[in-house]
Amino acid sequence: MGATVATMTSVIKDAWTSSRLAKQFYNANPVLDWFQEVEATMIGTQAQVPIHKWRSGGSTSTNAAGGALNSAGNQQVDQALYTLVYLWHQISIETAALNQTGSSAQSIIGSKILEVQGAIDDISKQASRQLCSNGDGYIAQCTTTTTANEIELLAASSGGLGYDAIRRGWLFPGLPVDIGTTSDTDTIASGVTITAVEESASTPSITVDGSTVSTTSSHYVSIKNPNSTTTASPELNGLRNMLGSSTTTLGGINPATAGNEFWKPALVDSSTTSLSLDLALNLQAAVFQKSGGYQSHVLTSVKQGSAFYSLLQNQVRFAGEMKMGAGGVGGLTGLSWNGVNLNVFPDIVDKEWYHVSKDDIVRIVGSIKKPTWTSELEGSGEGLRWSQGNTNFVEGLVFPLNVGLQRRNTHAAATNLTA
């Protein structure tokens, strides 16, 4: 037999096609960047937001003859309270990995650089996800699974979170998760690891290790909580619970309690399923009615950003055929609503559109204002530390943060744009 590629395998020279790793996922965090632009409020125990909730009721009208006046009232005040949420991320690197990937001649990227930069990206992504969620820690809702390791999630057509979570990279292989109810978050599965995901609009699912399980629509997926056997890990307030709900308690104030009716968005439209200019006008009008001013920003998903572009493009009348263009979706291309750029963020789920007054958002921090390594807090400044008695090095990253509102009725949202 003559020489073939197979017979020459041992001596054929291999070469990498690139000097960098090609990321197979969206790695930017524009939502986090947007919130980080808000002026920070540094707290000790908690952030207390003073609120002037209602006028005084001591007004009277009389005729020229005068008469008695209504009793004096008082300006009614309250306060919203916000505390910090601590986001953590650990890394561990074996000595051999440091020794054998220490230069570009040994590998495409050193293991230390890969893990350190990856940890910063990962903790930032978790913050972005939470800022687009509703603070309850539940990433996706299950559907019917019968004694299997492949857990079925809500389809794109359901209007709930399932497919959206996989599509945005919120659930991925290697992530430890709990599966359970809202009252007992690991009653179905505790600390199992995702081994595969199915990014299908009609049949989204995650596959987990461990024993087979059965689920229903009453079950949810959350990141493993090693500090509780019943509750999801505490998470940041997000757009959905701050601006997309008229019933959610925020900052300790429940809008369903008599006297707290002021503490809800100007309008939450959960029935309209197709974006229209009339819908955007209605949301804007609701904000104007409550505040006498318009929103400072519009935040939405890629899907609704594209839908908005289509609405505007249908209004275009071409005078000629020179320099025509299409497809310009997003704030950077000049697409705007009432003079403000449309902020299209991939982490916002498909069905949501927000009118936001950024000046009424508060960003809560301590002395740490960005993802910070524990070695910096210790003052050692040495980065990776040897794990005594083991052959690896370890480091931890922490990011204390939260967001809240000082006024809620200067915002509005559409939350069920399924078309």
Side-chain angles (χ1 to χ4, degrees):
M1 183 180 71
T4 66
V5 171
T7 64
M8 296 293 291
T9 299
S10 298
V11 294
I12 290 177
K13 180 180 180 180
D14 293 327
W16 292 103
T17 61
S18 175
S19 59
R20 65 178 179 85
L21 286 174
K23 294 184 185 296
Q24 305 299 299
F25 49 86
Y26 176 66
N27 199 45
N29 292 285
V31 174
L32 176 59
D33 295 340
W34 189 87
F35 275 97
Q36 289 285 72
E37 294 171 357
V38 176
E39 183 177 357
T41 300
M42 186 178 295
I43 69 169
T45 304
Q46 60 189 13
Q48 301 177 177
V49 178
I51 292 173
H52 188 175
K53 60 181 184 179
W54 296 115
R55 303 177 187 277
S56 167
S59 300
T60 310
S61 295
T62 69
N63 58 26
L69 301 180
N70 289 323
S71 300
N74 64 283
Q75 300 298 318
Q76 299 179 50
V77 297
D78 205 336
Q79 60 178 324
L81 305 176
Y82 301 105
T83 58
L84 285 172
V85 173
Y86 284 76
L87 307 181
W88 286 89
H89 193 94
Q90 292 191 88
I91 63 173
S92 174
I93 306 176
E94 277 291 332
T95 302
L98 294 172
N99 181 49
Q100 294 174 225
T101 64
S103 71
S104 58
Q106 295 166 296
S107 67
I108 294 299
I109 185 170
S111 60
K112 180 178 179 179
I113 297 174
L114 177 63
E115 292 298 329
V116 166
Q117 184 57 56
I120 296 172
D121 292 341
D122 292 345
I123 202 170
S124 298
K125 180 65 174 182
Q126 288 299 329
S128 293
R129 173 186 66 77
Q130 293 178 29
L131 289 168
C132 291
S133 299
N134 58 2
D136 62 6
Y138 303 110
I139 302 175
Q141 187 175 355
C142 303
T143 56
T144 301
T145 299
T146 304
T147 318
N149 291 105
E150 184 176 354
I151 312 300
E152 303 299 325
L153 304 179
L154 287 182
S157 59
S158 70
L161 286 180
Y163 172 64
D164 268 340
I166 295 178
R167 192 181 185 197
R168 281 154 182 76
W170 295 351
L171 297 173
F172 51 88
L175 182 70
V177 295
D178 290 337
I179 303 172
T181 64
T182 55
S183 59
D184 190 345
T185 56
D186 65 354
T187 186
I188 299 298
S190 178
V192 294
T193 299
I194 297 176
T195 60
V197 297
E198 181 180 358
E199 189 176 333
S200 166
S202 57
T203 58
S205 68
I206 58 172
T207 301
V208 299
D209 62 6
S211 303
T212 58
V213 298
S214 298
T215 64
T216 69
S217 59
S218 298
H219 299 132
Y220 298 84
V221 181
S222 59
I223 291 179
K224 176 186 176 182
N225 184 3
N227 300 304
S228 174
T229 58
T230 58
T231 61
S233 296
E235 294 196 345
L236 310 176
N237 289 318
L239 292 170
R240 198 175 308 127
N241 70 300
M242 292 192 300
L243 315 182
S245 173
S246 295
T247 59
T248 304
T249 296
L250 179 68
I253 302 176
N254 183 354
T257 301
N260 291 347
E261 295 85 356
F262 68 96
W263 196 240
K264 62 179 67 173
L267 175 63
V268 176
D269 187 325
S270 60
S271 59
T272 301
T273 57
S274 296
L275 182 68
S276 67
L277 298 181
D278 283 343
L279 172 63
L281 286 169
N282 287 340
L283 295 171
Q284 175 176 272
V287 172
F288 188 87
Q289 181 66 51
K290 291 294 185 179
S291 66
Y294 295 115
Q295 66 283 316
S296 64
H297 295 75
V298 175
L299 277 54
T300 193
S301 64
V302 175
K303 179 176 181 178
Q304 299 309 323
S306 298
F308 181 65
Y309 170 85
S310 294
L311 289 173
L312 298 187
Q313 191 70 8
N314 288 336
Q315 310 300 315
V316 173
R317 300 294 180 266
F318 298 107
E321 295 183 358
M322 299 298 293
K323 298 182 179 179
M324 292 191 299
V329 177
L332 294 179
T333 63
L335 194 62
S336 64
W337 173 261
N338 195 12
V340 298
N341 278 352
L342 191 70
N343 293 268
V344 177
F345 294 146
D347 275 308
I348 295 179
V349 297
D350 284 352
K351 62 183 181 176
E352 296 172 350
W353 170 285
Y354 296 99
H355 288 229
V356 182
S357 299
K358 198 171 187 178
D359 286 346
D360 288 327
I361 295 174
V362 292
R363 179 166 64 96
I364 314 302
V365 301
S367 59
I368 304 169
K369 300 180 179 64
K370 61 181 181 179
T372 301
W373 294 104
T374 55
S375 58
E376 295 180 39
L377 299 177
E378 290 177 347
S380 61
E382 297 178 355
L384 293 172
R385 281 86 41 92
W386 175 44
S387 177
Q388 190 170 359
N390 298 284
T391 60
N392 63 309
F393 291 79
V394 296
E395 176 62 291
L397 194 64
V398 63
F399 189 13
L401 175 69
N402 210 346
V403 294
L405 299 175
Q406 60 183 354
R407 186 172 179 182
R408 206 173 184 183
N409 61 10
T410 54
H411 311 266
T415 61
N416 194 33
L417 300 173
T418 56

